Amino acid sequence: MTEAALVARNLFKVFGKNPNQAVRRLKAGEGRNDILDVGTAAVIDASFTVNRGEIFVIMGLSGSGKSTIIRMLNGLHEITDGTVTIGSDQITGIPASRLREIRRENVSMVFQHFALLPHRTVAANVAYPLELKGVSKAERLAKAEEVIDMVGLTGWGDKLPSQLSGGMQQRVGIARALAADTDILLMDEAFSALDPLIRREMQEQLVELQAKLQKTIVFITHDLNEAMFLGDRIAVMRDGRIVQIGTPEDILTDPANDYVEQFVQDVDRARVLTACNVMERPRPVVADNAGPRTALRQMRDTYMSAAYVTGRDRKLIGMVTDRDAIKLVRKGETSLESILKPVPLSVSEDDVLMDLFIPSVESQLPLAVLDAEGRLTGVIPRVTLLAALGPGPNATEEITLPHLPVPQAEIDAVLEAAEDAVAGVAIEREVR
């Protein structure tokens, strides 16, 4: 059962001369533009729960309210109405001294423009949160060195921020947040100031660090591909309101409204959807105690020239071909054991579609999808993979293949196979 690390309930933030009146009017049904005479509504009735150990991404265009929300979560912006609870502590309406204590002990923040102290070394910057907690110099510098190594900056502890590249400076910012050893990290457009290659590298490193440390992260971004890559769940904002919360797959395949649908239409599906999102019921599959006639019937019914073989626990054991099964029938044998072959290619449920393209080309059967215990949970035919890479069920655009270093001959083979499948061309066999 998941445990809540942070809970936001019915948050409102209004800037202006009469924010409380603005909130009353918003609750009564007036729109954002209707209350401009008394204030500007940055956040309107936003509610969400961030589970312990997850990366929760809040995304939206400029002016959507996402950066305002993250500053409300640690009290940098006073909440006009609503509540924020961190662990068991509600931060709304508490004394400033208690709020500072919660920030020191429970919440760290990584800013877009690094916010490093220019006159301090990398190590001193990283150790600064521990200095505020009163940790001894030797202990905090030892911790800083440990975290500096963790983010890939070994040997840079004695340098000044001005001697580092932008990507390295942002690593220092992340290291400083990690050194504080808080449960929650708030990251406000943390990678948006970096060039694309460094940005992708930082995203990958954050995912690697999260796998090790299991922090609770609230990540703000305007970049949908970044949100899809990082987020366990995503909250999409528009005009101060949260319009949808869901997993990346939920947002991509089941948008809540036209706005979200338009937002996701250009997302790189191959980097978001996984094998378990597109797999079909396993077939053709026979049990390991079945005979060759049963295997041939399964292959005939699915128009395939081979079949997967599983044990009673559904673990994938191997595969058999129609030609080998026919030979057994002619010999009068009733066991598949002598013709069982290893499966050359299989994929896991969590593999993204980008990684399935070449295996699909090389596999004579629909790709076998296995769970963590090696059980066969589904298969992915080539045509299904190609359809999943397309722009969506209601789109009319042509399918765009991912940019991969794949030989043209292999691409042509996949397209030819897809055309055959769509046309209903059966695989011919010699069954006598």
Side-chain angles (χ1 to χ4, degrees):
M1 190 171 181
T2 56
E3 178 185 357
L6 184 153
V7 179
R9 285 288 174 264
N10 307 112
L11 294 184
F12 287 81
K13 180 59 183 176
V14 178
F15 298 95
K17 60 183 180 181
N18 200 333
N20 292 326
Q21 182 183 347
V23 169
R24 288 194 296 271
R25 290 170 59 178
L26 289 166
K27 288 182 176 180
E30 294 190 47
R32 195 183 198 188
N33 294 331
D34 300 327
I35 55 97
L36 289 175
D37 58 322
V38 291
T40 300
V43 176
I44 304 171
D45 200 19
S47 295
F48 56 89
T49 297
V50 182
N51 297 319
R52 194 167 299 281
E54 79 169 332
I55 300 181
F56 185 84
V57 176
I58 303 176
M59 63 159 298
L61 300 177
S62 296
S64 62
K66 59 188 186 299
S67 290
T68 302
I69 272 194
I70 202 170
R71 284 165 169 76
M72 296 167 74
L73 298 183
N74 66 354
L76 290 178
H77 281 333
E78 184 179 352
I79 297 170
T80 307
D81 198 62
T83 61
V84 171
T85 303
I86 295 175
S88 59
D89 295 302
Q90 184 171 303
I91 70 167
T92 316
I94 63 174
S97 58
R98 177 59 182 149
L99 180 58
R100 287 194 295 271
E101 183 180 345
I102 292 174
R103 286 176 184 158
R104 284 196 303 268
E105 301 298 327
N106 301 99
V107 182
S108 298
M109 193 155 183
V110 181
F111 298 91
Q112 176 181 356
H113 295 292
F114 321 139
L116 303 180
L117 301 171
H119 60 286
R120 287 183 174 235
T121 65
V122 167
N125 266 282
V126 173
Y128 186 62
L130 299 177
E131 182 180 341
L132 295 178
K133 292 181 179 182
V135 176
S136 69
K137 184 175 182 179
E139 185 179 347
R140 66 179 184 251
L141 289 178
K143 178 66 175 180
E145 183 177 355
E146 174 189 337
V147 179
I148 287 170
D149 292 344
M150 190 183 300
V151 300
L153 289 177
T154 303
W156 290 86
D158 61 346
K159 307 297 183 184
L160 292 173
S162 59
Q163 297 174 276
L164 277 59
S165 67
M168 294 171 76
Q169 289 184 49
Q170 192 59 287
R171 289 174 192 265
V172 177
I174 293 174
R176 180 176 57 191
L178 294 176
D181 200 25
T182 59
D183 295 329
I184 299 173
L185 300 183
L186 305 179
M187 305 184 72
D188 186 14
E189 297 274 12
F191 304 146
S192 63
L194 306 175
D195 66 68
L197 290 178
I198 299 299
R199 184 172 187 171
R200 185 66 179 186
E201 182 182 335
M202 294 299 299
Q203 292 167 3
E204 291 171 350
Q205 182 169 49
L206 180 62
V207 171
E208 291 174 5
L209 288 171
Q210 176 65 352
K212 296 176 184 176
L213 303 176
Q214 290 296 298
K215 296 291 185 179
T216 301
I217 300 175
V218 180
F219 193 99
I220 304 296
T221 183
H222 65 272
D223 186 298
L224 181 60
N225 281 310
E226 181 170 69
M228 293 284 182
F229 180 74
L230 293 176
D232 295 308
R233 288 187 301 139
I234 299 169
V236 182
M237 294 195 70
R238 182 187 188 188
D239 296 335
R241 297 182 183 272
I242 294 176
V243 295
Q244 185 172 1
I245 297 177
T247 66
E249 293 79 13
D250 292 337
I251 301 294
L252 184 59
T253 60
D254 189 22
N257 54 35
D258 291 342
Y259 175 77
V260 180
E261 185 173 8
Q262 292 173 2
F263 214 96
V264 303
Q265 65 182 357
D266 294 324
V267 73
D268 188 350
R269 290 168 174 261
R271 297 185 185 277
V272 176
L273 296 178
T274 61
C276 69
N277 298 137
V278 302
M279 68 184 184
E280 300 178 0
R281 180 174 60 86
R283 60 191 178 95
V285 178
V286 294
D288 59 347
N289 60 355
R293 292 184 182 277
T294 300
L296 284 171
R297 184 164 54 250
Q298 287 284 348
M299 289 183 252
R300 180 198 64 198
D301 291 345
T302 55
Y303 298 97
M304 297 302 298
S305 60
Y308 290 120
V309 180
T310 61
R312 291 185 177 180
D313 55 2
R314 292 193 295 117
K315 287 189 176 180
L316 185 60
I317 297 175
M319 58 177 285
V320 295
T321 68
D322 56 355
R323 292 182 183 276
D324 289 338
I326 290 170
K327 291 176 183 177
L328 290 185
V329 170
R330 288 172 176 169
K331 293 178 181 179
E333 297 187 22
T334 58
S335 170
L336 296 173
E337 185 177 357
S338 64
I339 63 171
L340 196 62
K341 297 178 180 179
V343 176
L345 292 168
S346 63
V347 300
S348 77
E349 293 177 321
D350 297 329
D351 286 343
V352 294
L353 300 193
M354 176 68 74
D355 297 332
L356 307 187
F357 189 65
I358 292 177
S360 177
V361 172
E362 297 174 346
S363 177
Q364 69 182 98
L365 277 168
L367 277 177
V369 183
L370 310 183
D371 66 10
E373 283 73 43
R375 292 176 298 214
L376 182 65
T377 55
V379 295
I380 304 177
R382 289 171 183 163
V383 68
T384 299
L385 177 60
L386 286 171
L389 295 177
N394 300 318
T396 58
E397 296 90 339
E398 295 182 359
I399 291 175
T400 302
L401 296 178
H403 297 293
L404 287 173
V406 182
Q408 186 61 43
E410 294 183 358
I411 295 177
D412 292 341
V414 173
L415 292 175
E416 182 179 352
E419 290 171 359
D420 287 349
V422 172
V425 177
I427 299 174
E428 294 182 357
R429 297 179 179 76
E430 178 189 357
V431 181
R432 298 190 181 98

